Structures are given as C-alpha cells and as structure tokens.
Amino acid sequence: MILIVHTSTTATRIAQQLGRPEYSYRFVLDEFRPLLDEFGTVIEVDEPEREVDVIYDRCRRDGEPCVFLSFMPPNKTPIGLACPTIPVFAWEYEALPIEEFGGKPRNDWTRVLAKLGHALTHSSFTVERTRAALGEDFPIACVPAPLWERMQELRGPRNGPTRLHVDGLVIDSQRIDLSAYRKSLLLAAEPDVLPLPKVRDEDRGAIALDGVVYTAIFNPHDARKNWMEMISGFCDALRDKSDATLLIKLTHYDPADIIPTYLEQLYKMGRMSCRVLLVHAYLHKPDYNTLLRATTYAVNTSHGEGQCLPLMEYMSAGKPALAPRHTSMRDYVDDGGAFVIDSSAEPGTWPHDQRQAFRTLRQRIHYQSVVEAYRRSYHVARYEPQVYAAMGDAAAAALQRYCSIEVVRPRLHRFIHDRLEAISSTDSVHAGPV
C-alpha cells in the first residue's frame, strides 16, 4: 500500500513555524508516521494538488492500493483529486462550520467532508459533532496520535532540583520589576509595545527548577488556551508558596508582542512568593525531556481541545494533570489521574471565521475550580506522596487506553482498509469543485 501524506509545515521548518496556522499538524503527522510506515510505503508531498495524482496514477497502473492522508483542516484539504483523500483533522467546538463566509464556500466544512465522503479525527467528541452535522452513518473514526509507548521511557520519580538548559528567552517573575508593565504604561506605549525585560546573566542558558512545578505548553496567541485564568488562578491559590512554580512554555515564532500583556497580568496579582516562568525557546528532545521529568503537574485551562499533544505526553509519562474534562480531554481526563476543573457551555466563535460571529459553543472554565485545583494539587504533591504516585499511574493508564499503539493501530488500519474497499466497490473518484 502507498500512503501519501501532507501537512503545511515541513519537518525541517517546524522551529521557525511555531504558532503559525496549522503548525501543530506537523507534530500530529510525526506521531503517526511510525505506525503508517508499518502499513505500507509512506510518501510525503509538499504540493498535493500537483503531486498526489501523479503517484496515484502510477499505483493504479501497478495495481497498488493508494490513499492520501491530508493532515489539515477540511477547508484546506484538497478536494478535486482522483486519489482517495482522507482528511485527518482536529476540532473542539460544539458545531462544525456549516456556513460559507469570507467568500469561500470551503469554509462550510460539512460541504467539504460530504464531498470527500469520510474523515479521521482524534476524539470521540469530534466524531459525535461531525455525525451530528453529517448524519450518524458518516464514515469517521477517532484515532488519536499514538504517542503513549514513546513516553514510557520518561516515567519514574522526579530527581529533585533540576537545571533546564534553554537557548532562548526566559522571564522570571521573581527577578524583574513587574510594575514596568502596568496597564497605564502599556497604553502609553501604543501602537508600539513595551520592550521585554533584560535577562540576567545568571539566568542565561539554564533555569533552576525545584519544588512543585506546574507546566503548560501552548501558543500564547491562541485564545482557546485561556491563559489569564491559568496565571491568575495559580497566583491566587499559591501566592505564599515559595516552592511553587508555574512554567509556561510559549510555542510561537515571535511572542514579543504579547509577553507584556502576560507581565501586566502578573503585576495585577500583587506581591507573591510563588514563581511564574515564561520560556520562549525551541527545546530539543533532551531538554524537552528534562522539563517533563522536572514537572510535577501538567496544566490545561483551555476552552476546548482537539486532542492536546503536550497534555497527552505528560500524562502518558505519569504526570498527573490539572485540566477540564471536556471536548477531546473527556476521553482521557478523569478524577483518577487529574484534578478536574469544572466547566460549562457558553457562546463561542469558529476560530477561522473573520466575522467572529457566535455560531457555536465553547467551554467556560469555572475560575474558583481552577484555584481549588491548584491548592489541592499542591497539598497532594507536598504531603501525600502515595496519592500523588497513584494519580501518576492512573494518568498513564488512562492514556494507554486512549492513545497507545495497540489501541490506535487496529482502528486506523481497519478504517483505511474499509474505505479503500468501499471506494473500490463503487468505483468512486473525487473530482470537481465543491
């Protein structure tokens, strides 16, 4: 079998593309790649409209099965190809886009998905929402990124104080004058932004991590991540705990314009002994693993997730979480391996809708539940080691049930095989515009 794959970010450019549209699909494709290599010959293409059907035509002549897996949102997945095309996408809102807007009919995802005739996604939530829009018999399967086995080498107890090597920007709330970023100064600087604080020489290249460390990894420009409540909840809950650290790893090619807003939020929290670290750097695998090992808890306070690879990685490695149990996270977050943050539905917008019209629902995070989760988790980490260890084991077990290769392999193989058989039996081709 020939499996053609595509996503918009190349493997060699990921460090420069962090935070750009669809960058996270690169990580998803990389997680699937070893499993796809088991199924057949994988060919990655840069220009699917030009390359895919050339490969497909050759396969048809040779009698070789061929399928194209597009790791992209449906509105950016090619739809006029002769090759059977399966979109592999993530979604985290109650309603799929069902309207044309911006002069682009393809922004109606249901139109695209109906044309392609099938899809793969990463959560039972997205399967439900897709079938709610396209019918209960629409061929779609939940196949999360199979990363559990890869993370098992990182399981084990924390080893005390750690130094994390960083080739990039580190901002430590305990070492800068936060008053320089109060709202009046931010407004006075407009339309420019305030300069970032200078990094002290003793901080260059390494961060000392000890105590109870909470880690969050996200794009600071992604409004879904709800970072203000993540930061303020931490400060409200643990302001007098000098051994509590919230480390936010910023995944963006240039977050300089938004970091002053983070610092203004910290300034508003007043005097505190706890520590907040902002880290902007591409962490290569050894350093990324060092951060994971030094972490006590993974944190997520988002309004919705398509699957959330960082949270999946940390929980697979036995790190308990502070996270809501909604959208994709309901498949693997529970009271056994996480301090569950309460949430409820509120009006939301499709992120790629320039109108920002309220057409769907997202999840509103309950702030007091965030504060309580920080307090309870700190107490467990400091005073209940057996409970903490049991939560780590439960987190890893939940992710094994969700995203281990033994779970994903048969599901993915069966879906691809069944779709190729269905297409072959009806002699279907994908052609023409939507």
Side-chain angles (χ1 to χ4, degrees):
M1 180 188 296
I2 301 298
L3 300 112
I4 309 170
V5 298
H6 168 74
T7 193
S8 59
T9 301
T10 64
T12 57
R13 294 277 299 163
I14 186 60
Q16 293 77 37
Q17 298 294 315
L18 292 177
R20 296 188 189 276
E22 288 85 50
Y23 80 98
S24 61
Y25 279 90
R26 176 77 251 171
F27 295 110
V28 177
L29 173 53
D30 288 346
E31 295 293 350
F32 275 97
R33 184 60 189 265
L35 190 54
L36 295 175
D37 285 333
E38 292 182 14
F39 294 170
T41 301
V42 179
I43 302 174
E44 182 166 354
V45 298
D46 294 328
E47 300 179 53
E49 290 87 351
R50 185 176 62 85
E51 300 175 73
V52 168
D53 278 349
V54 174
I55 300 170
Y56 178 61
D57 289 342
R58 185 172 67 244
C59 289
R60 293 187 71 179
R61 290 194 302 269
D62 296 340
E64 178 119 35
C66 180
V67 66
F68 172 43
L69 300 176
S70 175
F71 288 78
M72 296 283 285
N75 59 306
K76 295 189 177 182
T77 294
I79 54 177
L81 301 175
C83 183
T85 300
I86 301 177
V88 186
F89 72 98
W91 186 245
E92 61 276 4
Y93 296 92
E94 188 71 16
L96 261 63
I98 56 173
E99 298 177 9
E100 301 177 14
F101 52 84
K104 298 178 180 179
R106 289 164 56 92
N107 280 332
D108 179 352
W109 284 20
T110 60
R111 188 180 180 119
V112 175
L113 293 172
K115 174 70 174 179
L116 295 174
H118 43 233
L120 289 169
T121 188
H122 310 302
S123 72
S124 62
F125 171 83
T126 313
V127 169
E128 289 178 6
R129 303 328 306 156
T130 303
R131 286 181 172 157
L134 289 160
E136 288 301 315
D137 59 347
F138 182 79
I140 184 170
C142 166
V143 283
L147 57 79
W148 185 84
E149 283 83 359
R150 178 173 64 81
M151 303 307 298
Q152 295 317 292
E153 66 183 59
L154 299 177
R155 290 190 63 182
R158 297 172 66 221
N159 297 320
T162 301
R163 292 189 68 80
L164 172 66
H165 295 280
V166 175
D167 182 14
L169 176 68
V170 177
I171 299 176
D172 188 336
S173 65
Q174 294 183 339
R175 293 180 175 271
I176 64 171
D177 179 11
L178 291 171
S179 68
Y181 295 90
R182 58 189 182 272
K183 179 62 71 174
S184 60
L185 294 181
L186 292 178
L187 294 174
E190 290 183 345
D192 298 321
V193 297
L194 291 174
L196 299 183
K198 293 181 179 180
V199 182
R200 296 190 177 198
D201 290 340
E202 61 264 32
D203 290 331
R204 289 188 184 276
I207 308 170
L209 295 176
D210 196 10
V212 184
V213 178
Y214 299 83
T215 297
I217 302 172
F218 57 85
N219 174 4
H221 288 275
D222 187 343
R224 297 171 304 171
K225 300 304 180 178
N226 191 32
W227 58 264
M228 281 195 175
E229 292 189 330
M230 177 186 294
I231 291 176
S232 58
F234 172 79
C235 297
D236 273 342
L238 303 175
R239 65 172 56 252
D240 62 338
K241 308 299 184 186
S242 60
D243 62 344
T245 297
L246 172 62
L247 188 151
I248 298 177
K249 167 68 174 65
L250 305 172
T251 57
H252 196 274
Y253 61 94
D254 183 13
D257 61 333
I258 200 168
I259 285 177
T261 307
Y262 278 63
L263 299 179
E264 194 264 341
Q265 180 73 6
L266 283 171
Y267 169 73
K268 290 194 302 184
M269 299 310 300
R271 293 185 178 275
M272 53 193 177
S273 298
C274 59
R275 180 191 192 195
V276 177
L277 286 168
L278 303 180
V279 177
H280 175 239
Y282 184 80
L283 297 182
H284 294 282
K285 184 176 180 180
D287 298 319
Y288 186 87
N289 292 347
T290 296
L291 173 58
L292 187 148
R293 289 190 177 99
T295 294
T296 315
Y297 295 104
V299 185
N300 181 297
T301 58
S302 71
H303 297 299
E305 292 287 354
Q307 64 175 330
C308 194
L309 291 181
L311 186 62
M312 290 165 59
E313 288 182 322
Y314 275 61
M315 293 182 71
S316 292
K319 300 296 180 179
L322 284 68
R325 191 173 185 269
H326 62 52
T327 55
S328 70
M329 294 181 289
R330 74 182 192 184
D331 285 338
Y332 59 88
V333 169
D334 58 34
D335 290 326
F339 294 91
V340 178
I341 296 170
D342 296 335
S343 67
S344 56
E346 67 176 3
T349 63
W350 298 317
H352 63 296
D353 183 355
Q354 302 91 333
R355 305 168 303 172
Q356 288 298 282
F358 290 106
R359 293 292 187 270
T360 187
L361 299 175
R362 68 177 191 179
Q363 288 290 312
R364 178 177 65 88
I365 299 300
H366 297 181
Y367 181 71
Q368 190 56 39
S369 182
V370 176
V371 174
E372 291 172 359
Y374 277 121
R375 288 175 177 163
R376 288 187 290 122
S377 63
Y378 176 86
H379 179 86
V380 166
R382 290 282 285 113
Y383 305 111
E384 300 183 43
Q386 291 181 327
V387 174
Y388 177 80
M391 290 187 71
D393 290 341
L399 272 293
Q400 183 178 19
R401 294 189 296 270
Y402 174 60
C403 65
S404 64
I405 290 175
E406 66 176 324
V407 169
V408 176
R409 179 192 285 118
R411 196 180 299 174
L412 179 60
H413 186 270
R414 183 169 58 250
F415 185 86
I416 292 175
H417 180 268
D418 289 351
R419 296 317 302 155
L420 287 177
E421 274 203 345
I423 291 167
S424 176
S425 66
T426 57
D427 196 28
S428 296
V429 294
H430 300 288
V434 172

